[in-house]
């Protein structure tokens, strides 16, 4: 789990760093820079590609966050014992975060190759959230519209601001 979180954080940091860089010579030229868009990966096991993709998607949806960085969670897909173990460790981690509470202004983002498995993780983690314990926190679910309503219903009692981002 730490590897996936690290990959997502590195991809996000790289994306944000590249977006923040400004070259005076480029500003003087009439040509417009075009950022290469990363497309949704087709291989659910390619964690590096998913980290880049989700980092790019997340970097476009940071409105309202006042913390210094978001907290992205890349939820692995698959039925293998390794994937299941990673999801179980990640669920323990996220549940602990939700139970302790999060400082207002922070942003938690959840995404992965399987929208339904990502939704399952968020729903399970937020079951134990104290009412109003995450007021001022933004929770983003990056997935399929079919899973959005159940994630929204699970997050709502915590008081967090819920955002759905369609993959």
């Amino acid at each position: 789990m730490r590897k996936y979180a690290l990959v997502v954080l590195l991809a996000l940091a790289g994306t944000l760093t590249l977006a923040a860089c400004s070259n005076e010579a480029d500003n003087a030229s009439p040509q417009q820079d075009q950022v290469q868009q990363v497309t949704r990966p087709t291989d659910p096991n390619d964690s590096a590609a998913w980290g880049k993709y989700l980092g790019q998607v997340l970097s476009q949806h940071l409105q309202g966050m006042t913390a210094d960085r978001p907290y992205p969670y890349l939820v692995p897909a698959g039925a293998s014992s390794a994937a299941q173990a990673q999801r179980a460790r990640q669920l323990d981690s996220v549940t602990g975060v939700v139970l302790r509470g999060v400082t207002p202004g922070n942003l938690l983002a959840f995404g992965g190759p399987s929208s339904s498995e990502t939704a399952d993780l968020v729903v399970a983690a937020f079951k134990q959230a104290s009412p109003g314990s995450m007021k001022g926190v933004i929770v983003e679910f990056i997935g399929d519209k079919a899973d959005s309503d159940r994630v929204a219903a699970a997050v709502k009692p915590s008081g967090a601001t819920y955002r759905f981002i369609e993959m």
Side-chain angles (χ1 to χ4, degrees), residues 7-138:
V7 168
V8 171
L9 285 174
L10 290 175
L12 178 62
T15 301
L16 293 176
T17 301
L18 289 175
C21 289
S22 175
N23 187 338
E24 294 298 324
D26 288 344
N27 289 340
S29 75
Q31 294 178 337
Q32 293 181 350
D33 289 334
Q34 292 190 4
V35 177
Q36 184 174 351
Q37 295 291 321
V38 179
T39 58
R40 183 177 178 173
T42 55
D43 181 2
N45 299 313
D46 187 350
S47 59
W50 276 99
K52 281 183 180 180
Y53 172 72
L54 292 172
Q56 179 179 305
V57 170
L58 180 59
S59 70
Q60 298 168 0
H61 297 90
L62 298 175
Q63 305 87 341
M65 182 184 80
T66 58
D68 59 341
R69 62 184 171 89
Y71 292 92
Y73 294 93
L74 173 60
V75 181
S80 71
S81 59
Q84 291 175 351
Q86 287 175 339
R87 281 193 304 276
R89 286 190 301 272
Q90 197 167 43
L91 176 60
D92 288 342
S93 174
V94 174
T95 301
V97 167
V98 169
L99 286 174
R100 285 189 305 274
V102 178
T103 307
N106 278 291
L107 186 146
L108 306 175
F110 299 90
S114 170
S115 178
S116 63
E117 288 174 342
T118 302
D120 291 345
L121 184 134
V122 177
V123 168
F126 275 82
K127 277 185 180 178
Q128 299 177 29
S130 299
S133 63
M134 295 186 70
K135 191 172 186 104
V137 175
I138 301 165

